Amino acid sequence: MLKISRKKLESKALKQIPDLEESVFFQFEKINIPKNKIIIQLEFPEFKIDNKVTLKNIKLDINHNTHLCIIGNNGSGKTTLLKCIYEKLKNRKDIIVGYVPQFYDEILRKYHTVLDFMTDNQMEDTTKIRKYLANMNFTNDELLGKIDNLSNGTKAKLILVKLVMKKCQVLILDEPTRNISPLTNPVIRKVLKDFSGTIISVSHDRKYIEEVMNEVYILMENEVKRKRKLECKSKRQNK
Ligand SMILES: Nc1ncnc2c1ncn2[C@@H]1O[C@H](COP(=O)(O)OP(=O)(O)OP(=O)(O)O)[C@@H](O)[C@H]1O
Ligand SMILES: [Mg+2]
């Protein structure tokens, strides 16, 4: 019998593992909205949840094409602020808005299967959907399977793909890179960096903030304060 050393077997096995994650591919279409269009002007003295003041003295103006990140301590109200923004934007007729919540099940729980979510429970040609999901390395089993069986990273990719298909122009993203694997993360950052629409996001991810964002705000107890450009270290060119 042919003897192969353990070392050789291991190296052979490693070579045989396809680097699926590196081939993740998706991109948003170019968005044609005037650069200086105001997406939202937010101003309110306070916002309460269950009679408890959660946000105070919020003043934030966001123009189209801005890639903005809100940072702040845990529990400071970042998710609450993002939800307020989404509530105000979601029914706008002049822009297409997409939202990735911090906890994916908030939007996924009303769907049973991956295809239900992608088609929004409508009868639709699934060829295009299959192509998009295949590019994100969804296996056939995942594509035909239940959402409950997906990992958090795959759920995040699923929601992002839908935003691409919907041709969203404004993305509201709550910690978009948090559950994404280290191999896929650079792809996600590149796609978002190249996105020609508006991003309003929350993140603790230093690389995401440095590479993708051009405005950073700190949410504090009594105000939301813009960080100076130099501090943001944004390398993004304004397109
Ligand atoms: N549905 C809710 N009911 C009651 N309290 C809530 C609710 N949602 C948020 N809160 C409270 O509001 C405050 C702000 O929460 P929020 O999730 O917005 O913070 P965050 O900055 O996003 O935190 P993290 O960094 O942990 O994600 C917290 O004290 C939280 O406990
Ligand atoms: Mg949060």
Side-chain angles (χ1 to χ4, degrees):
M1 204 172 89
L2 188 66
K3 269 195 173 177
I4 306 175
S5 74
R6 172 189 272 267
K7 213 172 179 180
K8 268 192 184 159
L9 267 177
E10 277 173 358
S11 98
K12 204 172 168 207
L14 273 178
K15 274 182 200 148
Q16 281 172 349
I17 296 172
D19 205 347
L20 288 174
E21 288 186 295
E22 275 188 325
S23 60
V24 162
F25 173 78
F26 75 112
Q27 65 186 46
F28 287 88
E29 284 178 23
K30 176 132 183 59
I31 289 154
N32 291 316
I33 291 183
K35 243 190 204 170
N36 52 0
K37 182 182 173 78
I38 294 166
I39 298 296
I40 192 167
Q41 290 184 303
L42 209 58
E43 186 161 9
F44 51 83
E46 60 179 34
F47 181 85
K48 289 181 184 172
I49 299 179
D50 292 342
N51 260 342
K52 185 181 150 223
V53 176
T54 308
L55 299 170
K56 254 196 214 165
N57 300 327
I58 299 300
K59 191 173 179 335
L60 201 56
D61 294 347
I62 304 172
N63 283 3
H64 170 62
N65 197 241
T66 300
H67 288 185
L68 178 148
C69 187
I70 299 157
I71 60 172
N73 293 338
N74 291 111
S76 58
K78 302 179 298 296
T79 292
T80 307
L81 180 55
L82 226 49
K83 279 185 181 167
C84 284
I85 295 173
Y86 180 56
E87 284 305 311
K88 285 181 191 296
L89 292 182
K90 70 177 183 188
N91 294 322
R92 279 261 292 267
K93 297 279 180 284
D94 58 331
I95 43 176
I96 309 168
V97 181
Y99 177 44
V100 180
Q102 182 169 1
F103 303 106
Y104 310 128
D105 291 343
E106 276 175 34
I107 56 171
L108 294 179
R109 66 175 156 231
K110 65 174 177 161
Y111 303 95
H112 189 56
T113 66
V114 167
L115 277 180
D116 290 343
F117 172 67
M118 290 302 287
T119 57
D120 243 325
N121 294 323
Q122 312 280 315
M123 289 295 287
E124 267 194 41
D125 172 22
T126 57
T127 315
K128 195 170 141 198
I129 292 171
R130 284 171 179 272
K131 201 177 126 207
Y132 274 101
L133 290 175
N135 282 343
M136 283 296 242
N137 289 333
F138 274 70
T139 62
N140 218 31
D141 283 350
E142 283 172 337
L143 195 138
L144 299 171
K146 291 181 189 165
I147 288 183
D148 280 354
N149 295 338
L150 302 180
S151 68
N152 269 335
T154 310
K155 284 179 181 174
K157 288 193 292 182
L158 177 65
I159 300 173
L160 272 174
V161 173
K162 193 165 172 186
L163 303 193
V164 175
M165 278 193 58
K166 276 175 63 190
K167 302 185 194 311
C168 287
Q169 298 160 320
V170 176
L171 306 180
I172 300 179
L173 310 174
D174 202 335
E175 304 197 31
T177 56
R178 191 172 56 131
N179 292 301
I180 304 288
S181 74
L183 275 175
T184 303
N185 239 315
V187 182
I188 303 281
R189 289 200 300 270
K190 170 85 171 71
V191 169
L192 292 176
K193 181 186 160 96
D194 292 343
F195 176 63
S196 58
T198 308
I199 301 178
I200 307 169
S201 64
V202 161
S203 183
H204 300 280
D205 176 343
R206 189 181 48 80
K207 278 192 181 161
Y208 167 80
I209 294 171
E210 281 182 7
E211 289 174 23
V212 185
M213 297 292 109
N214 57 11
E215 279 187 37
V216 177
Y217 284 82
I218 313 171
L219 181 60
M220 295 186 296
E221 211 177 314
N222 289 307
E223 64 175 330
V224 52
K225 190 179 161 192
R226 186 170 172 173
K227 261 189 134 182
R228 282 176 41 228
K229 261 214 163 103
L230 271 176
E231 292 175 75
C232 303
K233 285 189 189 161
S234 172
K235 292 171 192 151
R236 183 171 169 267
Q237 301 293 318
N238 242 351
K239 288 174 197 157

